[in-house]
Amino acid sequence: MTERAHAERLDAADPLRGLRAAFEIPEPEPIYLDGNSLGRLPKATLERLSALVRDDWGGRVVRGWDAWMELPVRVGDALAAGFLGARPGEVIVSDSTTVNLYRLAVAALQARPGRRVVLAAADEFPTDRYVLGGLAEARGLELRLLETDPVEGVAVGDVATALGPDVALVCLSHVNYRSGALADMAAITAAVQGAGAMMLWDLSHAVGAVPIDLNGAGAQLAVGCTYKYLNGGPGAPAFLYVRRELQDVLRQPIQGWFGQRDQFAMGHPYDPQPGIGHFLTGTPSVLGLVAIEAGVEVLARAGIEALRAKSTALTELVIALWRAWLEPLGFTLGSPADPARRGGHVALRHPDAYRIDRALVERANVVPDFRAPDRIRLAPVAAYTRFTEVWDAMDRLRRLVEAGERVALDPARSRVT
Ligand SMILES: Cc1ncc(COP(=O)(O)O)c(C=O)c1O
């Protein structure tokens, strides 16, 4: 498994090898392992956006809205069917993950009056903790942060023991942003909802990387990013999911005109659209939505099961090479070793991880990312990463550490890591 020829054989046998051609990729370098932060540009997106800007914005100007109005729901439906296991009309794409998390958390808290505890994982992505902390403060509630295993992630038992009649809302990531640990969505959802609390999932690091079955899990609420594995582009709007049965029960706090029943009557007072429609707020990002639609179509051609199978094989290769080459050099595995418990990326831990990460970028033409305090994240994205790229990146990593390359680098952190 440590021979390059092994990776070459995996590439030759890869049923998804043709999908790489659907992306803009500068050949032969760099080796890009950061698609869990920002996915690559699909070629179709270039064409779609050029046509949109030139013909629709340039040509039709405001009349373009006749077609654009339906985009948040149409793109949501495509995501629901291909990647989220949700029904039509349960997902919309609008605003950012941070804003959507806020909106759904408020809606959930309003549905559980009298309960005063919000639960989240202590190593949850910062924006989630900040949003929930701010909300708890504003409403006189308590945000309780659960200590979970830094490698294996949140276990059903961690959540179950923290539940009680006081808990209003639990918010967790399906795939942890640092470790890549995959939470048991169905079991946790059942435990939380069984205790009478609302459950809100952050699917940012899961969508497009692992199969998700929101309906099957009985999930109530979810949000997630589209610029990672879905390749929607920098700052592309996020999605939100509200289970059909809850849509007319819950109220979200931003009563914008796009959520109004007869929007262009410009009337008063606010009269929310039925269904998912009142979760819309203001004017949607048309450029972002069109880019997401193009990205989702490219991935849907492969299907999430095939993407997951390749992703698992890619991360297994990372781990096999870590064990053979990097463990002896002082790296520890920061992700679950069991592929069934892992999402699409692998974290390797090292006390000098920041400088090693910089050395990889600056001296070895490999792009991973760094997450404080000691993790290098490697995301070999199934849609466009080759097994030989994984092998080459790991080979460069071990050589660079063996040669002490990082020592000359400035330990001061750059603004974006
Ligand atoms: C788990 C998770 N939630 C939320 C976000 C932030 O989303 P946004 O900045 O688009 O609001 C990220 C971004 O990486 C994330 O990883």
Side-chain angles (χ1 to χ4, degrees), residues 234-355:
F239 64 87
L240 69 77
Y241 156 89
V242 181
R243 191 175 182 79
R244 186 185 290 161
E245 293 74 14
L246 289 173
Q247 290 172 359
D248 294 324
V249 178
L250 300 180
R251 283 290 289 267
Q252 62 113 351
I254 302 180
Q255 300 190 160
W257 73 311
F258 270 71
Q260 173 77 352
R261 193 187 297 265
D262 189 1
Q263 182 179 359
F264 284 91
M266 306 287 182
H268 192 80
Y270 178 68
D271 177 19
Q273 289 188 49
I276 196 76
H278 68 97
F279 289 87
L280 292 169
T281 55
T283 307
S285 161
V286 171
L287 298 180
L289 281 159
V290 168
I292 297 165
E293 191 166 46
V296 166
E297 280 173 22
V298 169
L299 286 198
R301 287 209 297 270
I304 189 62
E305 298 297 338
L307 289 164
R308 171 65 171 161
K310 179 175 173 187
S311 161
T312 301
L314 285 161
T315 56
E316 284 287 88
L317 182 60
V318 170
I319 290 175
L321 297 177
W322 157 75
R323 197 165 273 129
W325 297 338
L326 298 176
E327 197 175 19
L329 294 175
F331 286 84
T332 55
L333 184 61
S335 299
D338 175 1
R341 299 266 311 107
R342 195 169 71 225
H345 69 270
V346 175
L348 299 180
R349 303 177 77 172
H350 190 283
D352 208 6
Y354 179 68
R355 286 202 299 177

Side-chain angles (χ1 to χ4, degrees), residues 32-100:
Y32 190 67
L33 298 178
D34 205 9
N36 61 333
S37 204
L38 179 63
R40 280 195 179 278
L41 168 64
K43 287 177 180 159
T45 307
L46 263 181
E47 287 155 27
R48 255 348 138 77
L49 285 183
S50 319
L52 172 78
V53 170
R54 193 184 48 237
D55 305 335
D56 299 341
W57 178 16
R60 289 175 52 75
V61 206
V62 79
R63 296 315 318 158
W65 279 109
D66 294 341
W68 299 332
M69 290 299 278
E70 67 180 42
L71 277 172
V73 173
R74 190 172 87 204
V75 180
D77 282 349
L79 266 176
F83 298 94
L84 295 174
R87 293 165 283 186
E90 288 189 315
V91 177
I92 52 161
V93 181
S94 113
D95 308 289
S96 68
T97 302
T98 303
V99 169
N100 289 345

